[in-house]
Amino acid sequence: MAGTPSLSFRLRRYWRFVLVLAVAFGGSEAMTRLGWMEPLENIYYDYWHQFAGKRRDALHTAVVAVDEQTLDQYKDDPLAFWQPHFARAMETLTRAGVKVIGLDYLYQVSAEDWLKKLDLPGNDSSRSYDSPFRAQLAAGNKILITQLVELSSGEGRLLLPPRDHLYLLPQGINDLGIANLNPDEDNSVRRFLPVFDPDPDKPAVGFAFQLALRAAGLDPNLRQWDIAGVKLARDALPRLIGYVGPPGSILTVSMSKLLRPDALDDPEVQLLKGRVVIIAANDRGTQDRHPSPYSRATFSKQGEQMIGGEIHANIVETILTGQYPRRLPPVAEWMYVLALVALAALLYLRLHPVDGLVAALLLGLLCLLPAWFMFLDDWLLPVARVQMALGIGFLTTLGLRLTGEERERARLKTMFGRYVSDDVVKVLTEGERPDLAGESVQVTVLFSDIRNFTSISEKLSAHEVVEMLNAYFSRTTEPILAEGGMVNKFIGDAVMAIFGSPVRHADHARRALRAAVQMAKEAEDFKQWMRERFPDRGLPEFGIGIGVHSGEAVIGDIGSVKRTEFTAIGDTVNAASRLEGVTKEMKCVLVASKACVDAAGEGVITGKQETIKVKGKDELIEALEVLGIESVHQVPGS
């Protein structure tokens, strides 16, 4: 039978552990599947990028920037009429040995068509203005952009280059790519769509993906591609961009350098050989700038946005290198989260709630370390999800502490914390608990009263009476608590204490007598305090009387619906109170019943002796003056 409570306790702890683990993991899993954790995970994802800075060199891509220098050089030419300049740049790039050229500018009307509308007399520019540009398009290896827009009716529409330019493209729709970026809900671009529609007959391949396919020499009409060891299916599923670094990390050359006569001798232009080059706007006034993982504010400092051309270049670099940020397989991620939550649950169930909170915070911080180092190798470990699971686990544990067994422990602490020592409270909450509904228990009851209290209080003010009682009770209750007794109540100037309940000490009688002897000594010392505090008041000599009796009493939580009190009732209590009164008749300080002295064992030093009758009882009680108690031995089982 002795092992049954221990087994039951272990089973309860096991099931509580399982419950905490299930709620914490299940809650975080549900929130992850609902997408609630993604905004938080994105915060960590962005900061990992910012802390890492530039991660690697871009070896496959470059940007030719239409920057301030280029715009200033051709400030007299409206941008809508820049086709000849783009043609010269493309010719230089081709001669420099680039793999493929992407033009990140969309013209829906050619300059020639516009000039034709003006019908200028004596001017044949409407027939020849775009000739260099058309020649470059016809030469192939150029990708033009298209743009998906949503009309006011809600219908989607694809904006295409001028029709006469489309006819010149050697590979038709496969020389086109949709330039729309795929921002998240916070408008930051972290992912890209390889294709926007699985139908190979539609111009639905992404601009960057079309450039990567051309550079890799792959057919855009396939259902699946294998690039850099990564299989990419023709579907509209987003993939994470493996950014090489913050804005400016991709090799960028001013377009003005390509338009110089000696452009091919420029070392920067020579670096473009073998790369995918994107011609894009990069002047201060361009609207083609977008938030990226490097744009999140850090310490109130807003990060720089990235031009669309460089984002496309990062996408191409990701595809051609196969260096995608990737998540763990679902099973591996579950095991990782479960391991951390299991460790946390073990700590929560063993530690004080405050220590458990500290453990949760520490684990929440520690999970940042593996996430950071894994990110450096392009693996993404969940952070916000783990921290949420740790928080849910802590709250679940806290909830368990406030319900069921833990709520009962808290109630016992509240009920007995005022009456017994902290050690006794610990025994109550962790060991055998009293039956609050009422039980008959063998106990020892102690009553103590101040002699001549009425005479003393008449000569003191109300504040002084309270001060005296507080000072006296502070001294005389300490021996009770030290012996494991319960200070049950204060009745005016009297103290009632119980030994043997709520904690079942087998030697409760001896403990009570030891406490009573020490109380008598404290009262003797208190006389000096009274003399020093209230000199020349004519107060009677301070003294107390103590009565102690052992026997059976009914113990329980007794009172009304609104107010209850854990106390003892019965003949034993009445007898102890009567013995305290007998101290006046016997002219001594401490009187105990023979039943109490016998139960206390050897070493009790007694003096006067008298037989008394308790009101309401026919049996007589033998009262003994107790002068002291020797330290001989403890009763077995105490």
Side-chain angles (χ1 to χ4, degrees):
M1 292 295 291
T4 303
S6 177
L7 177 60
S8 175
F9 179 73
R10 288 199 300 270
L11 285 174
R12 283 200 307 272
R13 294 195 71 167
Y14 170 77
W15 286 115
R16 290 170 67 193
F17 169 77
V18 171
L19 177 62
V20 172
L21 188 64
V23 172
F25 178 80
S28 67
E29 176 69 12
M31 296 172 76
T32 300
R33 288 181 178 272
L34 290 170
W36 295 354
M37 302 310 302
E38 185 173 350
L40 297 175
E41 295 290 2
N42 285 340
I43 293 175
Y44 288 108
Y45 183 75
D46 293 351
Y47 281 132
W48 294 155
H49 280 83
Q50 294 189 27
F51 295 152
K54 184 175 179 179
R55 306 187 61 201
R56 49 185 170 265
D57 291 328
L59 303 177
H60 300 277
T61 57
V63 174
V64 168
V66 179
D67 52 12
E68 275 79 7
Q69 183 177 348
T70 309
L71 291 174
D72 183 67
Q73 186 172 340
Y74 298 97
K75 58 181 177 294
D76 296 329
D77 296 342
L79 196 59
F81 292 88
W82 271 42
Q83 283 91 339
H85 305 320
F86 288 136
R88 286 173 55 198
M90 289 177 177
E91 181 182 3
T92 301
L93 290 171
T94 301
R95 293 172 61 194
V98 302
K99 281 189 174 182
V100 58
I101 303 168
L103 180 63
D104 193 16
Y105 279 91
L106 177 62
Y107 296 99
Q108 290 189 276
V109 179
S110 68
E112 291 179 350
D113 286 344
W114 178 256
L115 292 171
K116 192 180 297 182
K117 287 171 59 178
L118 297 179
D119 194 20
L120 298 175
N123 193 330
D124 62 352
S125 59
S126 61
R127 293 187 298 275
S128 60
Y129 188 83
D130 279 347
S131 295
F133 186 69
R134 284 188 278 113
Q136 287 297 318
L137 296 182
N141 216 31
K142 314 293 188 305
I143 305 295
L144 302 182
I145 67 168
T146 63
Q147 193 83 24
L148 277 171
V149 296
E150 184 177 345
L151 304 178
S152 58
S153 61
E155 181 184 356
R157 180 183 173 187
L158 189 64
L159 302 181
L160 297 169
R163 185 173 301 176
D164 53 334
H165 290 179
L166 292 177
Y167 290 149
L168 296 170
L169 297 175
Q171 297 193 36
I173 62 171
N174 291 330
D175 284 332
L176 299 175
I178 298 177
N180 294 67
L181 297 173
N182 187 44
D184 292 334
E185 289 187 3
D186 60 358
N187 208 37
S188 186
V189 181
R190 302 182 184 90
R191 298 166 177 81
F192 74 96
L193 285 172
V195 297
F196 289 75
D197 191 312
D199 189 348
D201 295 327
K202 294 181 180 179
V205 177
F207 177 55
F209 192 56
Q210 195 74 274
L211 288 167
L213 290 174
R214 185 64 53 83
L218 297 176
D219 183 359
N221 296 306
L222 298 177
R223 288 289 180 181
Q224 180 176 284
W225 303 272
D226 190 335
I227 308 179
V230 179
K231 294 188 182 300
L232 298 167
R234 182 183 286 274
D235 53 37
L237 296 178
R239 288 179 170 268
L240 286 167
I241 304 171
Y243 284 97
V244 300
S249 298
I250 298 284
L251 173 62
T252 302
V253 179
S254 173
M255 183 171 143
S256 63
K257 294 186 177 184
L258 297 176
L259 302 178
R260 296 173 184 171
D262 59 347
L264 294 176
D265 297 328
D266 191 315
E268 284 193 14
V269 176
Q270 293 173 0
L271 289 175
L272 300 176
K273 182 178 180 180
R275 295 176 183 260
V276 174
V277 175
I278 298 173
I279 302 174
N282 192 18
D283 60 285
R284 291 191 184 92
T286 182
Q287 300 298 310
D288 190 21
R289 295 185 185 275
H290 308 270
S292 72
Y294 296 96
S295 304
R296 186 175 293 277
T298 306
F299 304 115
S300 301
K301 181 181 178 181
Q302 186 65 46
E304 182 183 354
Q305 293 189 340
M306 188 175 288
I307 63 168
E310 188 169 7
I311 293 178
H312 289 304
N314 272 283
I315 297 172
V316 174
E317 190 74 23
T318 301
I319 298 169
L320 294 180
T321 60
Q323 291 183 291
Y324 298 84
R326 54 204 186 278
R327 301 190 182 280
L328 292 176
V331 174
E333 184 171 309
W334 293 339
M335 292 177 64
Y336 171 69
V337 177
L338 274 172
L340 289 176
V341 175
L343 173 61
L346 289 173
L347 293 174
Y348 296 159
L349 293 171
R350 283 170 169 76
L351 297 175
H352 184 276
V354 175
D355 296 330
L357 178 59
V358 172
L361 294 175
L362 289 176
L363 286 173
L365 291 174
L366 286 174
C367 74
L368 297 176
L369 292 177
W372 162 250
F373 287 110
M374 291 289 282
F375 171 80
L376 296 179
D377 196 33
D378 289 320
W379 284 101
L380 302 180
L381 283 181
V383 177
R385 174 184 178 175
V386 170
Q387 293 174 337
M388 182 61 68
L390 294 173
I392 294 173
F394 174 75
L395 293 176
T396 303
T397 307
L398 196 61
L400 289 175
R401 291 182 184 275
L402 296 176
T403 58
E405 181 180 348
E406 295 297 332
R407 184 170 60 185
E408 178 66 14
R409 288 185 179 183
R411 188 161 78 95
L412 287 173
K413 287 183 179 181
T414 302
M415 176 178 293
F416 294 109
R418 298 171 295 170
Y419 307 133
V420 298
S421 66
D422 292 340
D423 291 338
V424 173
V425 171
K426 185 176 181 180
V427 172
L428 283 173
T429 55
E430 296 183 0
E432 186 178 359
R433 300 172 186 176
D435 185 355
L436 300 180
E439 57 184 337
S440 183
V441 183
Q442 287 289 330
V443 295
T444 298
V445 180
L446 178 154
F447 269 93
S448 173
D449 195 4
I450 298 176
R451 296 285 173 261
N452 303 310
F453 178 72
T454 302
S455 299
I456 294 173
S457 61
E458 287 175 350
K459 296 182 179 183
L460 299 177
S461 68
H463 288 291
E464 290 172 332
V465 171
V466 172
E467 179 189 355
M468 181 197 74
L469 287 176
N470 286 339
Y472 164 70
F473 287 143
S474 296
R475 287 167 169 78
T476 54
T477 56
E478 283 302 317
I480 298 172
L481 299 177
E483 292 294 342
M486 180 180 73
V487 180
N488 188 242
K489 64 182 69 175
F490 297 105
I491 310 168
D493 61 311
V495 179
M496 174 184 170
I498 302 173
F499 295 81
S501 181
V503 177
R504 307 291 179 81
H505 294 300
D507 60 339
H508 54 83
R510 193 173 190 86
R511 288 172 177 265
L513 290 181
R514 280 202 302 259
V517 170
Q518 188 60 39
M519 288 174 68
K521 291 179 181 179
E522 293 289 344
E524 188 65 26
D525 294 340
F526 193 70
K527 290 180 182 180
Q528 184 61 30
W529 186 91
M530 291 290 289
R531 294 189 192 102
E532 294 176 357
R533 177 64 183 86
F534 305 112
D536 304 325
R537 295 289 188 97
L539 299 178
E541 185 76 358
F542 183 85
I544 65 171
I546 306 172
V548 187
H549 179 54
S550 297
E552 193 174 86
V554 174
I555 305 288
D557 204 16
I558 300 170
S560 66
V561 175
K562 293 186 177 180
R563 186 177 186 277
T564 60
E565 181 181 49
F566 185 80
T567 189
I569 57 174
D571 293 339
T572 298
V573 179
N574 297 334
S577 178
R578 175 73 177 91
L579 287 168
E580 184 275 321
V582 169
T583 58
K584 298 176 185 178
E585 303 168 10
M586 296 178 63
K587 295 183 173 23
C588 60
V589 176
L590 171 55
V591 172
S593 66
K594 189 174 186 303
C596 176
V597 172
D598 292 343
E602 300 177 3
V604 180
I605 304 170
T606 60
K608 302 173 187 177
Q609 183 173 339
E610 188 172 319
T611 302
I612 64 171
K613 185 177 186 304
V614 178
K615 185 178 180 181
K617 285 183 66 68
D618 294 332
E619 300 90 10
L620 297 178
I621 295 179
E622 193 170 346
L624 302 173
E625 177 189 12
V626 177
L627 301 175
I629 183 167
E630 298 175 351
S631 299
V632 283
H633 69 279
Q634 296 290 330
V635 175
S638 61

